[in-house]
Amino acid sequence: MFFHILKPIWKRKFKNLLLSLEILLAFCVVFGLALMSARYFQLYHLPTGFAYQDVWSVSMLGTGEADTKNDARVTENFQRSLAAMPEVEQVGFITHSPYSNATWTTDFYLPDSNFRYSIHMAEMADETPGLLKMKLLEGRWFSSEDEGRAERAIVINKKMAELMFPGKSPLGQVIADTESGGKNIKLFRVMGVFEDYRNKGEFMAPTTFAIMRYSKATGERRMETALVKVKPGTARAFEEKLHQQLKLIRSDWGYKISPLADMRQSKMTEDTIPLVILAIMAVFLLIMVGFGLFGVLWQNTTQRIPEIGLRRAIGAHSGHIYQQIVTEQLLLSSIAMLVGMVLLIQLPLTGVLGESINWPIFMTATAISMAVIYAISTLCALYPAWRASRLSPTEALHYE
């Protein structure tokens, strides 16, 4: 049966070429949208590694270069004064807040190897991992007992542990970092392994991550961000009271206070803008392709009226004509999508986009794209096919 349907498609190959290109373009655009949507869906359901509920971020903006240096008395004053507020449960310090766009990367290497690993970094005080409810898989978090040791305490995520220490425990291992210029080698001892920390939110791809211990007593630079864990149900009006308390500590500094829940919502909106733009483009393209398909199918069925009349005269009933028109369109769409698949399957095979395209995402995007194109092709073919099936043999054979 398919051979008989392919024959008329092949005879009109030049007319069908432009139509096939339109379908191919639509398939690629829908595939891109489905691929991005599937990736976002997959990332959204992965653990971020921290809890944002009832946590507020306080950015402490100094007045000059002198304010970037750490003052243990000022840091301790912030800790005590904020923790003493009845609405506050816990206070911790961190280099950059979750859901911010800040990125800190450095190159770590093993002392007996020159191979370097690019790692995302953050620096936290002893209280911060517990404040964020980060999940520890093995070992322990850094604490005051790590103060004064030759190697600075560090904890790494599971992905980094598997990359740098395959097949063995990373606990107690020493890793190194060299400052720019090749001098001042810094050594770190791995104290624990945590699950993950996707600090940029739900749509951040999993990556290697390490967290260094920040010492409030001996740290060279002060922390410019404090995380404040408030009691559940604390109203947004608490922001004014918190700001006043901060001004009592350092009146010459500026402060930016934001609940992590609000920062999360803003970050998710920002991250989904490309997806929304692509979705709008895809909708307009599909509308144009749909109109194009409908027009071409209408013209084709009009030009084929004598052929349809001959089929009706030799015994084909209206259902056969209806089925033939729809099946031809679906087969033409399948050929165009097959060409697209030959090109697109190179993405997961070559790994050109890394972990962004894995086989589950690729297969999901393929299924969605094919379903959309088949649905549009079927809808566009329904009326021309119905119109052709309604022709009487006499009317069709006398058509000029």
Side-chain angles (χ1 to χ4, degrees):
M1 178 180 176
F2 286 105
F3 177 75
H4 293 292
I5 296 177
L6 280 173
K7 286 179 66 177
I9 293 178
W10 177 253
K11 288 181 179 180
R12 297 188 302 274
K13 54 182 176 295
F14 294 109
K15 293 182 180 180
N16 291 329
L17 179 60
L18 183 59
L19 189 61
S20 299
L21 291 176
E22 288 184 3
I23 297 173
L24 175 60
L25 177 61
F27 175 73
C28 291
V29 172
V30 175
F31 180 86
L33 176 62
L35 191 72
M36 185 180 294
S37 301
R39 179 58 173 169
Y40 273 39
F41 182 84
Q42 185 183 60
L43 291 175
Y44 183 82
H45 288 85
L46 293 177
T48 57
F50 65 93
Y52 67 88
Q53 294 86 352
D54 301 316
V55 178
W56 292 26
S57 170
V58 179
S59 297
M60 300 173 287
L61 312 175
T63 57
E65 182 64 26
D67 286 334
T68 61
K69 296 182 180 180
N70 182 45
D71 188 329
R73 292 172 300 176
V74 174
T75 303
E76 191 62 33
N77 194 14
F78 271 106
Q79 182 91 34
R80 289 198 309 267
S81 299
L82 296 182
M85 301 181 73
E87 297 87 352
V88 175
E89 291 185 349
Q90 198 173 5
V91 179
F93 294 93
I94 190 172
T95 47
H96 47 279
S97 173
Y99 298 112
S100 67
N101 285 318
T103 300
W104 177 15
T105 59
T106 190
D107 290 339
F108 280 115
Y109 63 94
L110 300 176
D112 57 350
S113 171
N114 290 324
F115 187 82
R116 296 179 178 271
Y117 304 87
S118 181
I119 307 297
H120 287 251
M121 292 287 300
E123 195 172 5
M124 297 183 184
D126 295 341
E127 305 84 3
T128 307
L131 183 151
L132 291 173
K133 297 182 180 180
M134 298 178 65
K135 182 179 179 181
L136 192 68
L137 299 179
E138 56 179 314
R140 64 174 178 84
W141 292 108
F142 37 67
S143 64
S144 57
E145 65 183 85
D146 297 309
E147 189 73 49
R149 292 189 175 183
E151 297 94 6
R152 191 173 180 181
I154 194 172
V155 290
I156 63 178
N157 73 340
K158 183 179 179 181
K159 190 177 182 69
M160 179 175 171
E162 293 172 348
L163 177 66
M164 295 191 68
F165 308 102
K168 61 180 179 180
S169 174
L171 299 182
Q173 299 288 343
V174 175
I175 57 179
D177 175 28
T178 304
E179 294 181 354
S180 58
K183 300 178 181 179
N184 300 327
I185 298 176
K186 296 180 292 183
L187 298 178
F188 303 85
R189 187 171 295 277
V190 179
M191 309 307 300
V193 178
F194 58 95
E195 183 181 38
D196 207 351
Y197 180 63
R198 295 193 291 147
N199 62 302
K200 291 188 178 181
E202 282 75 4
F203 298 132
M204 177 183 178
T207 185
T208 51
F209 212 103
I211 299 175
M212 294 188 300
R213 178 180 184 266
Y214 168 68
S215 171
K216 294 190 285 284
T218 61
E220 296 180 0
R221 298 178 65 88
R222 73 174 180 88
M223 286 291 186
E224 297 184 351
T225 302
L227 296 179
V228 180
K229 174 74 173 179
V230 299
K231 293 181 179 179
T234 300
R236 187 64 187 264
F238 173 64
E239 179 179 344
E240 181 62 28
K241 183 178 179 181
L242 179 60
H243 188 269
Q244 292 174 359
Q245 183 68 22
L246 291 167
K247 281 294 185 180
L248 291 176
I249 305 171
R250 285 295 300 260
S251 60
D252 58 330
W253 286 4
Y255 301 96
K256 181 180 179 182
I257 304 172
S258 302
L260 289 191
D262 292 353
M263 295 178 66
R264 174 179 179 267
Q265 187 61 46
S266 298
K267 192 70 173 69
M268 292 180 69
T269 302
E270 175 187 334
D271 290 342
T272 52
I273 287 177
L275 183 63
V276 173
I277 293 175
L278 183 58
I280 294 173
M281 293 174 57
V283 168
F284 277 105
L285 179 62
L286 290 177
I287 291 174
M288 291 188 293
V289 170
F291 279 118
L293 283 176
F294 183 81
V296 171
L297 287 172
W298 182 290
Q299 183 182 30
N300 285 346
T301 53
T302 301
Q303 293 174 348
R304 296 173 62 186
I305 286 178
E307 172 195 334
I308 295 170
L310 182 60
R311 286 203 63 196
R312 292 297 306 276
I314 62 177
H317 57 74
S318 59
H320 289 155
I321 303 300
Y322 192 93
Q323 182 182 6
Q324 178 187 357
I325 301 298
V326 174
T327 306
E328 284 181 7
Q329 181 55 38
L330 293 179
L331 190 56
L332 187 63
S333 299
S334 300
I335 294 173
M337 288 189 288
L338 181 61
V339 174
M341 284 298 300
V342 172
L343 300 175
L344 294 173
I345 202 172
Q346 304 303 317
L347 296 176
L349 287 177
T350 59
V352 64
L353 296 179
E355 296 181 358
S356 298
I357 299 182
N358 47 51
W359 283 109
I361 290 179
F362 180 82
M363 298 305 296
T364 300
T366 300
I368 294 174
S369 305
M370 293 181 69
V372 170
I373 297 301
Y374 278 136
I376 293 175
S377 298
T378 302
L379 289 174
C380 292
L382 288 179
Y383 183 75
W386 176 83
R387 179 172 173 268
S389 67
R390 301 291 293 178
L391 289 172
S392 66
T394 305
E395 179 186 357
L397 292 174
H398 285 82
Y399 178 83
E400 294 182 0

